[in-house]
């Protein structure tokens, strides 16, 4: 108190996160204690521990009598109060200094009790989005009604930019409208004219992955109106929920023809569901990671996706919708991603990290592969054309080529049944004649074109330039 340089006092107690004083020199500390709600029902080696010095001698004893993941110790009177999820959900408990007389004071069964604090007489803590107060002396336990008065300009209605909170975007099958999910709400609008519409419930329900079925009139989306995520169909004001146990959906794709839906969830599963019949079948699963980048063929008969083969490798797989059979079409030796079908049914495009041209570091004697990706294609038919070689014209007249191109353009919009020869398909891979780079996604386009995005190499701190600079959209023309 008189001043001077601070002197270290080594307590040799290890990592102490909480401290509470009891009568006299008694103390209770929390080691490894934190917010149990961040890792619910954790029982591993770094679970919370309460250690107590009941007589103030400086000798601490671990309270082995306490189960679960205890935290936030608070000494009130002759009892130690603390949070624990020993019975499944975080609640407030107390015990005597010797660990006996365990008592539970709250009965929350949905949200964890969190961040408890005490003034020596009462305890306040968070549960859900509310603050709760417990008075151990009287046993009173209630939620606090808190009002935060503010200036009128601060409490007035305001608008936030939708693009900063864009969850997903899907085009209408005919290309004239778009479906967006923004801040958990679903909106549809035409591209250039008309009002913005909000399907479903205006507030209180979270919608994601909104898109149209192939008929162009039925909206399909993921909704949590029931408390669990379910697929909902909206058509002409009628809402139909499909009772599929699909888990947490991270990707949903409607087939461009028919009524099939491809669903990838947090359980690393891939499901195919039929919105018309109500049938839903699990067709694939990975022990290493999620199925991603779902892409349908133009006829809706085949589904391509990126499958996690191990912690480091991803491969491209094809699923035939009719038979539900899934086949690897690239070897699981690299990181293959973003598959997309050629609209004319000749090739399957994808991106892959398999070009190893090392780059020296400018500061340290190290090497890395900052640009390892290139676009590739797979010939879907064994007798298909060579992708990057022109056929010799011979003595044909230019008018023949012009009429052929015109006839091909006239029939480009049709989607006949796609034929895929699976035998030897992994050997029919060709690299595009472009340099390796950081490619984001690609998409097959009509009239012999392919779109992809190229992302710049940026520093993590943004000191070398713009941190959030945008990438480039490029088009590759086979002709």
């Amino acid at each position: 108190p008189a001043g001077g340089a601070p002197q270290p006092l080594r307590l040799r107690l290890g990592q102490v996160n909480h401290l509470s004083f009891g009568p006299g020199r008694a103390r209770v500390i929390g080691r490894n204690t934190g917010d149990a709600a961040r890792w619910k029902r954790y029982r591993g080696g770094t679970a919370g521990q309460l250690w107590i010095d009941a007589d103030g001698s400086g000798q601490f004893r671990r309270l082995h009598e306490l189960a679960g993941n205890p935290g936030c110790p608070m000494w009130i009177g002759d009892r130690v109060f603390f949070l624990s999820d020993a019975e499944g959900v975080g609640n407030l408990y107390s015990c005597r200094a010797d660990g006996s007389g365990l008592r539970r004071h709250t009965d929350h069964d949905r949200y964890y009790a969190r961040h408890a604090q005490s003034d020596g007489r009462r305890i306040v803590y968070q549960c859900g989005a509310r603050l709760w107060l417990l008075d151990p002396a009287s046993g009173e336990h209630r939620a606090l009604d808190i009002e935060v008065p503010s200036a009128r300009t601060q409490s007035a209605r305001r608008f936030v930019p939708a693009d900063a909170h864009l969850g997903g975007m899907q085009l209408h099958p005919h290309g004239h409208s778009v479906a967006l999910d923004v801040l958990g709400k679903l909106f549809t609008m035409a591209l250039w004219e008309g009002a913005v519409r909000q399907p479903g419930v205006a507030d209180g329900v979270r919608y994601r992955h909104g898109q149209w079925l192939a008929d162009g009139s039925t909206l399909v989306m993921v909704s949590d109106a029931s408390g669990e995520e379910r697929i909902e169909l909206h058509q002409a004001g009628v809402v139909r929920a499909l009772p599929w146990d699909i888990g947490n959906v991270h990707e949903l794709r409607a087939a461009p023809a028919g009524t099939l839906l491809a669903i990838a969830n947090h359980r690393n599963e891939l499901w195919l569901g039929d919105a018309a019949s109500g049938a839903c079948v699990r067709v694939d699963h990975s022990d290493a990671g999620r199925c991603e980048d779902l892409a349908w063929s133009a006829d809706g008969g085949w589904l391509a996706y990126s499958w996690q083969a191990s912690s480091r490798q991803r491969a491209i797989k094809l699923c035939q919708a009719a038979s539900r059979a899934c086949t690897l079409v690239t070897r699981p030796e690299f990181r293959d991603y973003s598959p997309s079908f050629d609209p004319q049914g000749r090739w399957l495009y994808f991106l892959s990290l398999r070009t190893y041209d090392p780059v020296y570091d400018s500061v340290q004697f190290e090497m890395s592969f900052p640009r390892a990706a290139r676009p590739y294609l797979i010939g879907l038919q064994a007798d298909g054309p060579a992708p990057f070689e022109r056929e010799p014209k011979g003595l044909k007249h230019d008018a023949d080529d012009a009429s052929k191109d015109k006839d091909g353009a006239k029939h480009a919009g049709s989607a006949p049944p796609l034929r895929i020869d699976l035998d030897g398909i992994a050997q029919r891979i060709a690299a595009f004649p472009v340099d390796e780079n950081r490619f984001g996604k690609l998409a097959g386009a009509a009239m012999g074109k392919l779109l992809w995005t190229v992302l710049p190499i940026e520093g993590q701190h943004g000191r070398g330039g713009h941190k959030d600079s945008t990438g480039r959209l490029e088009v590759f023309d086979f002709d």
Side-chain angles (χ1 to χ4, degrees), residues 98-321:
D98 60 358
S100 63
L102 184 65
R103 187 185 306 166
R104 175 173 165 175
H105 298 274
T106 61
D107 296 303
H108 301 292
D109 59 358
R110 184 175 184 185
Y111 299 112
Y112 268 51
R114 309 170 65 187
H115 312 305
Q117 296 285 338
S118 174
D119 61 355
R121 298 183 299 110
R122 300 164 302 173
I123 297 173
V124 65
Y125 63 93
Q126 173 199 346
C127 185
R130 304 290 299 273
L131 291 182
W132 291 73
L133 180 68
L134 171 68
D135 187 348
S138 64
E140 181 186 10
H141 177 233
R142 60 186 174 89
L144 299 176
D145 292 326
I146 297 178
E147 294 183 1
V148 183
S150 60
R152 191 170 212 172
T153 55
Q154 297 296 324
S155 60
R157 183 186 182 196
R158 67 188 181 96
F159 296 89
V160 297
D163 60 345
H165 305 278
L166 183 63
M169 175 179 63
Q170 292 292 331
L171 281 173
H172 191 276
H174 297 152
H176 56 64
S177 302
V178 66
L180 313 165
D181 65 83
V182 182
L183 286 171
K185 303 178 186 297
L186 186 64
F187 301 96
T188 62
M189 61 182 180
L191 298 186
W192 309 112
E193 64 280 320
V196 176
R197 299 183 179 183
Q198 184 180 355
V201 181
D203 293 293
V205 177
R206 185 188 183 198
Y207 296 107
R208 298 189 301 128
H209 304 298
Q211 54 199 282
W212 284 274
L213 291 182
D215 59 12
S217 60
T218 304
L219 265 173
V220 57
M221 66 200 71
V222 177
S223 167
D224 66 354
S226 66
E228 298 290 342
E229 289 202 340
R230 296 290 185 264
I231 301 293
E232 281 189 3
L233 303 175
H234 293 226
Q235 185 178 32
V238 179
V239 179
R240 182 165 66 98
L242 300 174
W244 301 337
D245 180 14
I246 51 176
N248 179 256
V249 179
H250 74 86
E251 206 164 337
L252 172 68
R253 289 290 181 271
T259 57
L260 288 182
L261 298 170
I263 305 164
N265 64 15
H266 76 293
R267 302 168 185 158
N268 305 340
E269 299 171 335
L270 177 65
W271 292 74
L272 284 185
D274 193 330
S277 67
C280 191
V281 179
R282 193 184 85 161
V283 296
D284 204 356
H285 171 265
S286 170
D287 293 327
R290 296 178 177 178
C291 301
E292 297 178 347
D293 304 333
L294 310 182
W296 285 98
S297 61
D299 66 338
W302 294 83
L303 176 72
Y305 57 98
S306 177
W307 182 75
Q308 188 79 30
S310 68
S311 60
R312 292 179 177 270
Q313 284 81 30
R314 299 192 72 90
I316 303 300
K317 293 184 88 171
L318 282 178
C319 175
Q320 189 175 22

Side-chain angles (χ1 to χ4, degrees), residues 369-437:
F369 304 98
R371 295 178 293 267
R374 287 177 70 184
Y376 296 80
L377 60 77
I378 302 175
L380 296 180
Q381 293 86 36
D383 56 352
F388 306 116
E389 298 178 9
R390 278 184 172 274
E391 294 184 3
K393 290 186 177 182
L395 300 177
K396 291 190 297 182
H397 197 274
D398 291 342
D400 297 335
D401 293 338
S403 62
K404 178 181 177 181
D405 293 341
K406 182 178 179 181
D407 189 58
K410 183 174 69 173
H411 296 286
S414 59
L418 176 62
R419 176 176 67 89
I420 298 180
D421 299 326
L422 295 176
D423 291 339
I425 192 171
Q427 283 75 43
R428 300 197 297 270
I429 296 179
F432 277 76
V434 296
D435 294 333
E436 68 273 10
N437 215 321

Side-chain angles (χ1 to χ4, degrees), residues 1 5 45 49 127 278 323 330 335:
Q49 305 172 6
C127 185
S323 64
T330 65
R335 293 191 64 86

